[in-house]
Every structure is written in C-alpha cells, then in structure tokens.
Amino acid sequence: MLVYHLPGTFETREEHLDLLWEAGATGLEERAGLIRAYFDEQADLPADIRDGEWRDEADQDWQAEFKANLRPVPAGRVTIVPPWLRAEVPSTQVPLIIEPGMAFGTGHHATTRMAVEALSALDLDGQTVLDVGTGSGVLAIAAALLGARYALGVDIDPVTIPIAAENAGQNGVPEGRAAFMVGTLGDDLPGDVVPDGVFDVLVANLYAELHDLLVGAYLGHLRPCGPLILTGILVSKLPLVQDALEREGFTDVQVRTDGDWALVTARN
Ligand code: SAM
C-alpha cells in the first residue's frame, strides 16, 4: 500500500487535509506526529504538501491491520459498525453499517460520533434532515434509521455519492427516505447544485472556516427553530463558529468537545 507520510498533525496541518483528499488520498490517519495519507497510486502533490515522503508499505498490509482493529462505535441510540461486526451490536441499539472505504465517515472520528449522538438525542420521527458534507452518508443514514422521513446528503466530492447510496442500501434505507447528490450550500462556493427547500434539521461535519462562510446559507435551509448541528470544528477555532452563529441570530448555542474536536448545536 502506498502511504504518503506528511510531518504534522490534523490540527497543525488542518488547511492541508483537503489538499490530500483532492490529490486522491483514500484515507487519512494521524500517528506519532505524522499524517499518513493512503493512496492507490503516486499523485502529483501541490507545493504546500510536498514536504512529505512516499512509502510503499505493501508488505505490511496496513489495510488488513486497520480492518482487524476496527471496533463497533456506540453513538447515542446508534452503533456504527463495519458489516463483519454487525452481530456485535446489542439488540437495544440501532445498527448503522458502514463499509470502511473511500469516503470519510466510518464513525471512528470523534466528529462523526458526536454528530450521530446529537442526531440520536433528537426526535427525528417524520422530520426532514439535510446533511452537508455527507462523505460515506453516515449522518443522513443515521437520521433515516432514527425515523427521519427524508434525509438528503450533499457533498462536493462526486466520489462520495455512490458510496453513500450503497451504504444506505446496505442499511435497508428505502430510496425515497435518503438521497445523495453532488452539491453544497452558498453561491460563492464551488459545487454546481444547491439543494432546494427548507429542512427540519441541518447537520454538517465540515470545518470551522467553512461553517463561518456557510452560516447564512444554513439559516436559509433550516425551518424556524430547527436544530443546527455543526462539527468538524477544532476546539481552538470554536470562537469563529460561535461568532458566526451570533452574527446570523442563532440562539441556544451549546458546545460539546471530545479531545481536540468540538460539536456545536444551535437554533435559529
Ligand atoms: N458526514 C461525514 C461524517 O460526519 O463522518 C463526512 C464528513 S467529512 C469530515 C467532510 C465531507 O465534506 C467530505 O466528504 C468533503 O468532500 C465534504 N465537503 C468539503 N467541503 C464541502 C463543501 N463546501 N460543500 C459540501 N461538502 C463539502
């Protein structure tokens, strides 16, 4: 397996993580002061991230090791599992099966886990949910499994859309209950399509600077008093998001943290 070793951590190189995904990384991991970016083939990297080193770790079969170390992730009423651990989910929990692969969102990142917990704390029966930056579809699928009438996942990365749809199918979510499309919010961002309509709940696992840009658009897509759930926020960047929410008139702003990561809920 081809791994690009980039010195630094997710926090110190936050602005470079998207560059790795855009260059074709299939997974990112942080270990011992290094960001390990998994690639299928060597990519031409932009200058900002050329200070790393390519390593062929084929003999070590990291993927098998990674899979062997995966555990079910309880998140509120839901437990996120890869397909082969489905039997380990207690009968009191809602199983959410995610095949670890090309798209972010296996549940093993604190932000995904906190977002599923936040969804799980709501009564989603009959609600509509917009998931911005859907990745593996995990949050939209969680919403559908928790009773949402309709969950729409949007992502600027077209690779994620069929993966999210396949994950929804694997969880037995009927097609009309969850849909996925290439898109984003906000006219000034790349991404062709902005979803129409107003949703009962909006969840977005992106990053602080993007939340700052998108808060106005969140307001336009959320029914009055609809809960907003934002994560992907480094604790050090929380003030940026809190200020943006205040600027747009959101109230009842609450923060949860897990290590370096924060999740913010608010109402409009
Ligand atoms: N929702 C999943 C989860 O919670 O695990 C995946 C979150 S992952 C951190 C962020 C996702 O947002 C990526 O799939 C990325 O392609 C997407 N993304 C980044 N910028 C975006 C934008 N401006 N609009 C929509 N999606 C975006």
Side-chain angles (χ1 to χ4, degrees), residues 13-221:
R13 309 269 323 224
E14 193 202 0
E15 74 274 26
H16 294 154
L17 302 182
D18 269 356
L19 298 179
L20 288 164
W21 290 117
E22 281 160 20
T26 58
L28 298 183
E29 199 185 11
E30 186 188 297
R31 208 190 286 173
L34 271 184
I35 295 172
R36 297 168 48 82
Y38 294 85
F39 283 82
D40 290 333
E41 56 188 33
Q42 196 153 329
D44 192 15
L45 300 174
D48 281 353
I49 52 171
R50 272 196 218 130
D51 53 323
E53 198 183 336
W54 289 100
R55 297 270 184 90
D56 189 354
E57 298 181 348
D59 295 336
Q60 300 180 32
D61 203 348
W62 288 105
Q63 192 145 29
E65 195 182 315
F66 167 73
K67 284 190 164 188
N69 286 326
L70 284 180
R71 302 303 313 146
V73 178
R77 289 180 278 150
V78 174
T79 296
I80 311 164
V81 275
W84 60 92
L85 295 179
R86 166 70 183 81
E88 293 190 19
V89 179
S91 59
T92 48
Q93 287 288 98
V94 176
L96 197 174
I97 299 160
I98 296 289
E99 177 81 53
M102 298 269 288
F104 187 106
T106 57
H108 291 82
H109 197 274
T111 58
T112 310
R113 193 170 58 243
M114 285 194 289
V116 174
E117 279 166 8
L119 286 169
S120 169
L122 299 172
D123 178 1
L124 292 177
D125 265 347
Q127 305 272 294
T128 59
V129 179
L130 178 60
D131 169 18
V132 186
T134 198
S136 66
V138 57
L139 304 182
I141 297 167
L145 294 174
L146 289 165
R149 166 165 64 81
Y150 176 65
L152 174 62
V154 298
D155 202 294
I156 46 163
D157 181 354
V159 164
T160 61
I161 304 305
I163 295 172
E166 193 173 325
N167 280 325
Q170 190 153 29
N171 283 282
V173 176
E175 266 181 33
R177 295 270 306 281
F180 301 93
M181 64 182 233
V182 178
T184 184
L185 301 184
D187 300 338
D188 48 347
L189 285 167
D192 296 327
V193 192
V194 176
D196 286 333
V198 169
F199 293 77
D200 297 315
V201 178
L202 192 154
V203 60
N205 183 357
L206 296 166
Y207 50 95
E209 290 82 354
L210 192 51
H211 291 313
D212 179 33
L213 276 179
L214 290 180
V215 164
Y218 296 154
L219 196 58
H221 285 83

